Each structure stands twice: as C-alpha cells, then as structure tokens.
C-alpha cells in the first residue's frame, strides 16, 4: 500500500517522500540558476506551480533567495 511505502521510505532515508522530492527539485533549480537560467524559468521547469512557493521553499532550504544566489554566482564569476 502507499502508506507502507511512505513508512518504509522514511525508515530507510529519515526523510518523507515529499521532502525528498522537494529537495531534489530545489537542488536541480539551484544548478539551473548557477548555469545562467532565469530564476522564473528554473522554477517552472523544476515543477513548481508558483514562483512565490518556489522562492519561499528555496529560501527555507538554502537560506538565501533564488535571485540572491544568482547575484552571488555572477559576482564570483567576476572575481575569477
């Protein structure tokens, strides 16, 4: 059953299926942003339905806004 799957997944990984999927999507978005993709495009390509939800989840997970990440990557490229 799906409840058994959810319970076993959490026992094995220490994370819920929903959290795991959200983390993977956020990591993929961060990678896309660091490669020059716009934050809005990365948001929707990674499966988020609203930019506000994406920005809130991104900030909570990484401790910075998606646009802040984009700006820090741009600054790092200047200094290299």
């Amino acid at each position: 059953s799906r409840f058994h799957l959810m319970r076993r997944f959490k026992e094995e990984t220490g994370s819920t299926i929903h959290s795991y999927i959200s983390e993977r999507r956020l990591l993929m978005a961060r990678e896309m942003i660091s490669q020059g993709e716009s934050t809005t495009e990365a948001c929707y390509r990674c499966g988020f339905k609203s930019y506000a939800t994406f920005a809130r989840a991104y900030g909570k997970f990484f401790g910075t806004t998606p646009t802040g990440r984009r700006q820090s990557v741009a600054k790092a490229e200047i200094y290299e």
Side-chain angles (χ1 to χ4, degrees):
S1 77
R2 93 179 157 164
F3 297 109
H4 178 70
L5 173 67
M6 291 188 309
R7 191 170 41 255
R8 291 286 305 180
F9 188 88
K10 183 155 185 168
E11 286 173 5
E12 294 294 323
T13 65
S15 176
T16 64
I17 294 173
H18 182 281
S19 295
Y20 176 79
I21 292 171
S22 294
E23 288 174 17
R24 297 296 299 170
R25 290 165 60 199
L26 288 166
L27 291 168
M28 186 169 53
R30 181 177 67 173
E31 181 64 28
M32 293 169 84
I33 292 167
S34 70
Q35 292 178 357
E37 186 98 29
S38 77
T39 55
T40 305
E41 185 66 25
C43 159
Y44 293 115
R45 287 189 58 203
C46 290
F48 290 91
K49 297 198 183 345
S50 112
Y51 184 81
T53 302
F54 167 70
R56 189 171 37 252
Y58 193 98
K60 188 174 184 180
F61 190 72
F62 294 115
T64 184
T65 62
T67 53
R69 168 73 179 157
R70 184 179 185 90
Q71 291 167 352
S72 68
V73 167
K75 286 180 186 177
E77 289 174 356
I78 291 171
Y79 295 116
E80 287 181 353

